[in-house]
Amino acid sequence: MSSGAVRTGRGGAEREPGSRLEFAVLGPVRGWYGGQPLELGPVLRTTMLVALLLRPDVTVSRAELVDRVWGEHPPESDGVPGYIYQLRKSLAAAGADAKSVLRTDPGGYRFAGAGVGVDAVRVDEIAAQAKKAAAAGSLAAAADGYGQALAFYEGVPLAGLPGPFAERERRRFVERRVGLVEGRTDALIRLGDYASAIGEVTALLAEHPDREPLTGLLMRALYGAGRQSDALDTWREFRVRMRDELGLEPSEDLRRVHEAVLRGDDGALGVAARPATAPRIRDELPHDVGELSGRDDELARLVAPGSAVSAVDGVPGSGKTALAVRAAQLLREEHPDGCLFVALHGHSTSRAPLTPVRVVRRLLRSAGVNEQNIPDDLDELSANWRAATAPLRLVLVLDDAISAEQVRPLLPGGTGNRVLITSRRRLPGLDVERRISLGPLTSDAAAGLLGRIVGPARASQERAAVRELASLCGRLPLALRIAGARLQNRPMWTFRDLADRLADDTDRLGELTAEERSVEAAFRLSYDQLPPKTQRAFRTLGRAPAPEFDELVLAAMLGCPRREAESVLEDLVDANLVQAPAAGRYRMHDLVAVYARRLAADEPDVASGLGVYLHACRAASEWGEPGFPSGPAPTDSPFTGLVDASAWLDQAGDLVEVVSSAVAAGHPDYACWIAEGAVDYLVRRIRYRECVALLEVALSEVDNVADQRMSTALRFGLGWAYLGLGDPVQAREWCEEGLRISRENGDRRETARGLCGLGMVTMFAGPLDEAEQVLTEARTLAEEVADSWLVERAVSGLGYVHFKHGEYERSLVRFAESREVAVATGNPAMLGRASSHIGSVRLHLGRPDAAEPLREAVELAERLDDRLLLVSSLSRLGSAEQELGNLDLALSYHLRALSALTDQMSPWAEIEVRNRLGACRQARGEEAAAREQFALAAVLTEAN
C-alpha cells in the first residue's frame, strides 16, 4: 500500500502530489480521489470498506466480512454484495477504476493497496524516521517527526464505526498515538522545552491516567521546569491511585524516575539545563466554578497552541466559566507570569457591568504598576496595560463580558499572553482567533455528571431515570448541578421522583432552583438585556409550531417582513437564546423553549405560524393551493409553486411535530388541513411512515373539526400511504372506510376520490377486473364533479389495467387522454407521470419513439425533484436509447438511475434498474459487469 500522505482537516498533514486514491482513518473515515472527496455512504458501508482497506491485498471471505462488521449479532440478510457494489459505485463516481481497487476474488473480496495512500501507514513511516533520529541524537528532528505523525490524528480513529474489527483497530491506533506522544515528549525534555512537554503529556494523561510511561515523562518534564515538588506530587498521586484502585505498586522504571527526582540527578532524568523559576504576578483563578464535564474537545481547542485570544459563548448555564478556568489552569505552567481572572458582571442582578476604566486600573495594579502612575483616560490606561504586558507570558480570563466594547481595551500586548473571554453573547464585533459555542452536554456526559454529584451507588440503581432526568434538565451543567444538589439534600427522593416533578413544563423551571442558583434567573438575565422588539420575538417563539423554524414562520407570527424577522433571529442567536443548527434554520434549547413558552401567554396565537406550513403543504401538492375544496381560502402565499414549497418542506423537519403542535395549541382544524396537504409531498419524497404518523395524529382529532370532509380525506391519505408501504390490505381498509363515509355524507367529490384510491389499490393488489370497474366508476363521477386531477388519476389507472391485461393499444389511448388532461391543467407532475407511462408502454412494444416521452418525464422529474419518477424514467430511457443503438448514452442513463436510488425506495425499483443496467452491459459486451448486476438483482429478488 502506498505511503502517500492523505489530505487532513488540520494538523498540517498534506496530500502528496501524485497520490490518486487516499483515505484517512485516524479520525472520521474519509476518502479522496484526485483530491476530490469520495461519498463513502452510510456507516455500515464505511465499516465494510475499512475492514478491507486496513488489510490490503488479502482476500477476505464474505463470512469473515460479516464477522468483522457485525460480530456475534449478524443480520439475517447481510447484503454484503450490495455494500460492495455501492462502494464501487462511490469510487467509480469519482473517476477511480473501482474494480481494480475493490476486487472480487474466488472466495471473497480484496482491497488492492498499490498506489493507495492511507494516513495510518504514513504515520508509521514518519514515526520510524523520528525514532531513528532520536537514536542518532537528532532530537529536534525527532520531535518534529513525531509532531508530524501526530498531526494526522483528527479525533477518535474510525469515529462512529461499529463492529469488533473497527474497535480492535481503534484501540491499536489510540495506542499508537500514545506512543507517538511519548516519543515526542522525551525528545522535548532532552531539548529543554519543558513547557511544551508538560502540555503534551498532561493532556494525554487525562485520557490515560494509569499509563506509567506518561507519568514518568510528566515527572521528568516538571523536574526540568524547576518544579521538583510538583514532580514528587505526581508520583504520590499515581502511587496512591494504583494502590487504591488496582492493589499494585508502580513499576521499577517509574520508581527509578522517582528516585532520580529525589536526588536531583539531571543526567538520569535526561534533562537539559534547568531555568531559574520566574516570579509570578499572581494567581487569581477561582476554585469554586464547578466540575467540568463532557467538554474535552472544547478544552483541547482552548489550550491548543496558536490562539492569543479565545472567546467562549453559550446558552446560560452551559458551563462557560468552568471551561475557561480549567483551560487557564492547564495553561498556567506555560505562562509563568501569572493567571488573572476578572468577573466583568455582564449579566448580574446585583451589580452593574464593570467599566473598562475600572478593570484596566485593577489589571495595572495586579501587574505591579504604582497607583500614582496610573492615568484616568481609558486610551492611556489601555496603552499602559499593553506596554506593561508586552514582555510577559500570562493568562487573562475575562468572565461574563457583555459586549466587545467592554473587552477590547482590556486585551494585553505582546505575543506571549493568552486571553480567554466568556460571554452569553457571541461578541461578533470582537476579533478573536478561536470561538467556541457551548451547547448541551452529550447524554452520557450529562448522566455521568448527575451520577457523580448524587453518588454512583444511587445512580446505578436508576440508570433509565438518571438519563431521563438529565434530558429534562436539557443536559445543561447548571440545571444538572441544581438537580443533583436537590437530590443530595433529599436522600429519600429517587431520581424518578425528581424526574416526575420536572415532567410538566409548568413546574420545570421552578423545580430547577437551589438557593441563589436558578435556571430561570439565568435565562431572565439574558432576556432582560434584549431590546423590546427582540423580547417580543423571543416570547412569540414560545408559540412556534415546531422545535425548528425559520424567518418565514416568525415573520408570519409577528406580522412583519421576512428580512426584519431574520434580523431579530440573528440577534437572538448572538444572545445565545436561539441556536442556528444550519444556515437559515433556528431552534431553541429545550429549557430556553420552556422559558419562552412561559412568557408567551399574551403573544399572537400559533395559527399564523401554522398557516405557513399549510401554505407549504398545499403548494407542494399536485392539487396546488386553489385545488383544495375546503379549509382557509387561498391568500397571498409565500411560495411560488410546487418546487419552491417542496424545497422549503425539505428543510422543515418532521411534519408530525407540526401537526401535534397544532393539536396541542387547540387547532385540530389546522392539524387536519396540514396533514391532508402533506400527503402528496411525503409520498413523493418516499416518507411513507411519517405520512402515516401525522395522518393518525390528525385523524384522532377529526371529530373536533367543523370541516366534515376531513373525515374522509385523512382516511384516503392513509390508504395512499399504506399503498406506498406495500401493505395493500391496510390501504384497502382505509379507502373502503373513507368511501363508506363519503357516500353517507353525500359528498360526490370525496366519493370520486375514494373510488380512485380504491381503484389504485385494487390495480396493484388485484383482481384487475374489479380495478377496471372501480376506476371506470371513479372516472365517470370525477367528470361529473369536474375535477381534472381525479379524472387524470382514474384514466391513468385504467391505462395501467389495460397494460396488465396485455391491451397495449388501449393502454396508450388512456395514457394519451391522461396527458391531455395534464397539458390542459398545466400540471407538471401529472404531465411527467403521463409521459413516463406512454414511453414505458412504447418501450415494451419495442417502438423506436419510446425515448421522447421518457426524456420529457426525466426533465420534469428533475425539475420537481420527484425521485421515484426520476429513477424509473431514467432507467427506461436508458433501455430506449439502447434499443436505438446508442449504447454509451444508454449506459449514462442507467448509471444516473442507479445513483438516484435511495434506501427508502421499494427494492423492486432497484431490481428493475439493475436488470436494465445488466442488459445494457451485456449489449456492450461487458459480460462480467452484466453478470454482477444480474446477480445483485437476483439477491434482492430472493430477499423480497
Side-chain angles (χ1 to χ4, degrees):
M1 186 170 288
S2 168
S3 62
V6 300
R7 181 191 304 267
T8 64
R10 63 181 187 190
E14 297 180 354
R15 184 175 62 84
E16 292 180 357
S19 292
R20 295 295 294 162
L21 189 59
E22 307 153 353
F23 292 95
V25 297
L26 300 178
V29 177
R30 293 169 296 155
W32 300 265
Y33 181 74
Q36 297 302 312
L38 296 175
E39 178 58 50
L40 298 181
V43 65
L44 287 176
R45 189 193 306 168
T46 305
T47 306
M48 190 161 294
L49 168 67
V50 167
L52 294 167
L53 173 69
L54 295 182
R55 296 293 185 270
D57 303 313
V58 175
T59 300
V60 183
S61 69
R62 179 170 174 173
E64 187 176 356
L65 270 178
V66 171
D67 181 65
R68 289 183 181 184
V69 175
W70 285 281
E72 297 179 356
H73 305 287
E76 293 182 6
S77 176
D78 55 70
V80 168
Y83 286 115
I84 297 296
Y85 169 76
Q86 294 293 341
L87 287 170
R88 285 176 177 157
K89 185 175 75 171
S90 295
L91 294 172
D97 185 359
K99 290 191 176 179
S100 68
V101 175
L102 195 54
R103 300 183 178 179
T104 301
D105 288 343
Y109 302 91
R110 173 166 53 95
F111 194 99
V116 178
V118 179
D119 56 355
V121 175
R122 185 63 179 144
V123 163
D124 288 344
E125 294 173 347
I126 296 173
Q129 295 169 2
K131 186 175 181 180
K132 287 182 181 179
S138 301
L139 298 175
D144 181 64
Y146 284 123
Q148 290 180 36
L150 286 165
F152 283 89
Y153 282 82
E154 297 189 90
V156 178
L158 305 176
L161 296 195
F165 180 85
E167 184 56 36
R168 288 193 299 270
E169 293 299 294
R170 188 178 295 114
R171 287 196 295 268
R172 179 168 72 89
F173 291 144
V174 168
E175 184 68 21
R176 187 72 175 113
R177 174 174 171 258
V178 174
L180 295 172
V181 173
E182 289 173 351
R184 174 172 165 77
T185 303
D186 180 72
L188 290 172
I189 291 171
R190 294 181 183 279
L191 286 168
D193 190 354
Y194 306 118
S196 296
I198 291 169
E200 292 268 3
V201 75
T202 299
L204 196 57
L205 260 176
E207 303 175 28
H208 305 276
D210 297 330
R211 191 173 176 94
E212 286 196 352
L214 290 176
T215 303
L217 287 165
L218 179 58
M219 292 171 62
R220 290 171 57 199
L222 290 169
Y223 173 84
R227 298 167 55 190
Q228 185 179 27
S229 62
D230 288 344
L232 294 172
D233 286 341
T234 299
W235 156 265
R236 283 190 289 271
E237 292 170 3
F238 182 84
R239 188 182 185 198
V240 168
R241 188 166 64 252
M242 290 288 287
R243 283 178 168 180
D244 292 349
E245 296 180 3
L246 302 176
L248 300 174
E249 285 287 344
S251 69
E252 187 60 32
D253 287 345
L254 193 62
R255 295 176 71 87
R256 280 196 290 269
V257 173
H258 173 232
E259 291 166 3
V261 171
L262 287 173
R263 294 193 309 268
D265 188 342
D266 292 7
L269 294 169
V271 299
R274 289 181 290 152
T277 304
R280 301 177 68 88
I281 294 177
R282 58 197 296 175
D283 190 335
E284 299 178 342
L285 296 180
H287 301 288
D288 58 348
V289 294
E291 176 187 356
L292 184 67
S293 179
R295 301 297 190 192
D296 294 346
D297 290 344
E298 293 88 347
L299 181 62
R301 288 178 59 197
L302 272 188
V303 301
S307 174
V309 182
S310 300
V312 180
D313 62 75
V315 64
S318 56
K320 300 178 290 295
T321 302
L323 174 62
V325 169
R326 179 62 182 138
Q329 291 169 347
L330 294 177
L331 291 168
R332 60 158 51 111
E333 296 307 330
E334 302 173 25
H335 297 79
D337 294 318
C339 293
L340 302 178
F341 180 93
V342 182
L344 297 175
H345 302 293
H347 303 82
S348 173
T349 56
S350 57
R351 301 185 61 175
L354 295 184
T355 64
V357 168
R358 181 175 175 183
V359 176
V360 181
R361 292 181 68 86
R362 171 189 157 182
L363 289 172
L364 286 169
R365 288 194 298 269
S366 297
V369 177
N370 189 301
E371 178 76 28
Q372 294 180 348
N373 297 327
I374 298 176
D376 294 324
D377 178 75
L378 177 59
D379 290 340
E380 288 188 50
L381 282 168
S382 186
N384 284 1
W385 168 239
R386 290 193 298 273
T389 52
L392 301 181
R393 291 178 58 86
L394 59 82
V395 180
L396 172 61
V397 179
L398 300 173
D399 185 54
D400 194 20
I402 192 170
S403 66
E405 290 72 20
Q406 184 188 33
V407 169
R408 200 174 288 114
L410 315 181
L411 301 180
T415 59
N417 301 304
R418 293 289 290 268
V419 183
L420 307 175
I421 305 163
T422 75
S423 177
R424 295 187 181 187
R425 300 188 59 82
R426 292 283 172 89
L427 305 183
L430 188 67
D431 292 331
V432 301
E433 285 84 4
R434 190 167 292 148
R435 293 184 188 273
I436 295 175
S437 293
L438 298 186
L441 300 177
T442 65
S443 296
D444 288 343
L449 178 58
L450 263 180
R452 287 191 295 276
I453 294 173
V454 181
R458 289 173 69 183
S460 63
Q461 298 174 12
E462 297 185 80
R463 297 184 187 278
V466 171
R467 285 189 171 274
E468 183 179 344
L469 181 57
S471 177
L472 289 168
C473 289
R475 306 196 308 277
L476 278 184
L478 174 61
L480 293 166
R481 292 192 185 99
I482 291 173
R486 297 198 69 190
L487 289 173
Q488 276 183 329
N489 295 328
R490 294 163 178 79
M492 298 305 294
W493 279 18
T494 65
F495 283 91
R496 169 56 54 198
D497 291 332
L498 186 53
D500 289 343
R501 295 174 72 93
L502 266 61
D504 186 351
D505 277 5
T506 307
D507 301 323
R508 190 181 310 179
L509 294 179
E511 292 288 343
L512 292 174
T513 301
E515 296 183 348
E516 78 283 357
R517 293 191 301 176
S518 165
V519 172
E520 183 173 4
F523 294 159
R524 188 185 306 117
L525 287 172
S526 293
Y527 171 79
D528 286 345
Q529 293 186 352
L530 298 174
K533 180 176 71 174
T534 312
Q535 286 183 339
R536 183 191 170 214
F538 177 78
R539 296 193 304 270
T540 299
L541 289 174
R543 302 181 72 94
E548 191 170 299
F549 42 84
D550 69 352
E551 81 284 354
L552 190 59
V553 173
L554 181 59
M557 299 181 73
L558 289 175
C560 70
R562 289 180 65 169
R563 185 62 61 86
E564 182 179 330
E566 180 182 30
S567 175
V568 79
L569 280 168
E570 289 299 322
D571 288 343
L572 287 168
V573 170
D574 287 341
N576 272 298
L577 289 173
V578 164
Q579 301 163 341
R585 303 299 303 174
Y586 305 88
R587 67 179 300 121
M588 285 181 168
H589 178 272
D590 291 349
L591 288 181
V592 176
V594 172
Y595 180 62
R597 286 195 289 272
R598 290 188 60 172
L599 299 178
D602 298 327
E603 292 309 313
D605 185 67
V606 72
S608 54
L610 291 171
V612 177
Y613 290 91
L614 181 58
H615 276 302
C617 289
R618 290 188 165 185
S621 167
E622 284 189 25
W623 288 7
E625 292 196 65
F628 287 82
S630 62
T635 56
D636 291 339
S637 175
F639 305 104
T640 57
L642 185 146
V643 175
D644 179 37
S646 297
W648 188 85
L649 288 172
D650 287 343
Q651 303 298 319
D654 191 343
L655 294 177
V656 180
E657 293 179 327
V658 178
V659 173
S660 300
S661 175
V663 172
H667 289 287
D669 46 359
Y670 270 98
C672 294
W673 293 329
I674 291 172
E676 180 201 23
V679 170
D680 188 54
Y681 160 78
L682 292 174
V683 169
R684 193 169 63 251
R685 287 292 190 263
I686 321 173
R687 289 157 58 178
Y688 302 125
R689 298 197 181 281
E690 182 182 345
C691 187
V692 168
L694 68 85
L695 285 166
E696 287 177 343
V697 172
L699 192 60
S700 68
E701 295 291 318
V702 77
D703 292 337
N704 299 321
V705 301
D707 189 347
Q708 196 175 43
R709 194 179 63 84
M710 289 299 99
S711 182
T712 56
L714 299 178
R715 287 173 167 84
F716 295 148
L718 282 165
W720 196 237
Y722 274 110
L723 185 60
L725 284 169
D727 188 346
V729 175
Q730 281 270 42
R732 174 180 283 273
E733 288 178 0
W734 283 112
C735 287
E736 287 179 339
E737 185 177 342
L739 191 54
R740 175 185 57 79
I741 296 172
S742 68
R743 282 173 168 155
E744 290 175 356
N745 293 340
D747 190 329
R748 299 171 71 239
R749 187 182 186 280
E750 285 299 296
T751 300
R753 186 179 178 190
L755 287 168
C756 276
L758 182 59
M760 291 293 182
V761 172
T762 312
M763 179 181 74
F764 287 111
L768 288 175
D769 289 341
E770 180 186 340
E772 183 172 4
Q773 179 183 349
V774 174
L775 288 168
T776 299
E777 184 182 356
R779 175 183 182 173
T780 300
L781 190 53
E783 289 174 339
E784 290 176 3
V785 297
D787 190 310
S788 298
W789 188 85
L790 289 176
V791 170
E792 189 278 333
R793 298 304 287 177
V795 172
S796 179
L798 286 169
Y800 185 80
V801 170
H802 294 325
F803 178 81
K804 295 295 286 184
H805 273 309
E807 300 168 342
Y808 303 124
E809 293 304 326
R810 290 187 70 191
S811 175
L812 282 172
V813 169
R814 292 288 176 266
F815 288 138
E817 292 175 2
S818 172
R819 192 179 190 283
E820 288 176 4
V821 175
V823 171
T825 58
N827 190 315
M830 195 184 297
L831 181 59
R833 218 172 30 245
S835 297
S836 183
H837 293 330
I838 292 170
S840 299
V841 178
R842 290 179 182 177
L843 177 64
H844 184 79
L845 292 173
R847 286 173 48 171
D849 58 348
E852 182 180 352
L854 287 169
R855 193 173 294 113
E856 181 180 39
V858 167
E859 293 172 356
L860 289 165
E862 288 179 324
R863 195 174 97 198
L864 300 171
D865 196 16
D866 189 328
R867 295 159 196 181
L868 193 55
L869 178 63
L870 178 64
V871 167
S872 61
S873 300
L874 275 170
S875 183
R876 294 166 195 174
L877 179 56
S879 295
E881 292 292 353
Q882 178 183 327
E883 291 295 320
L884 294 172
N886 303 322
L887 295 183
D888 289 343
L889 184 58
L891 180 61
S892 70
Y893 285 134
H894 287 305
L895 292 176
R896 283 175 61 190
L898 197 63
S899 65
L901 285 167
T902 68
D903 294 338
Q904 291 77 31
M905 289 182 184
S906 164
W908 299 106
E910 182 174 353
I911 291 168
E912 178 185 354
V913 170
R914 292 196 181 281
N915 277 325
R916 291 185 183 277
L917 175 58
C920 182
R921 292 287 193 189
Q922 196 170 51
R924 292 166 59 89
E926 301 168 356
E927 293 296 336
R931 284 196 299 273
E932 181 183 15
Q933 293 304 321
F934 292 143
L936 287 169
V939 170
L940 289 168
T941 303
E942 290 175 9
N944 293 277

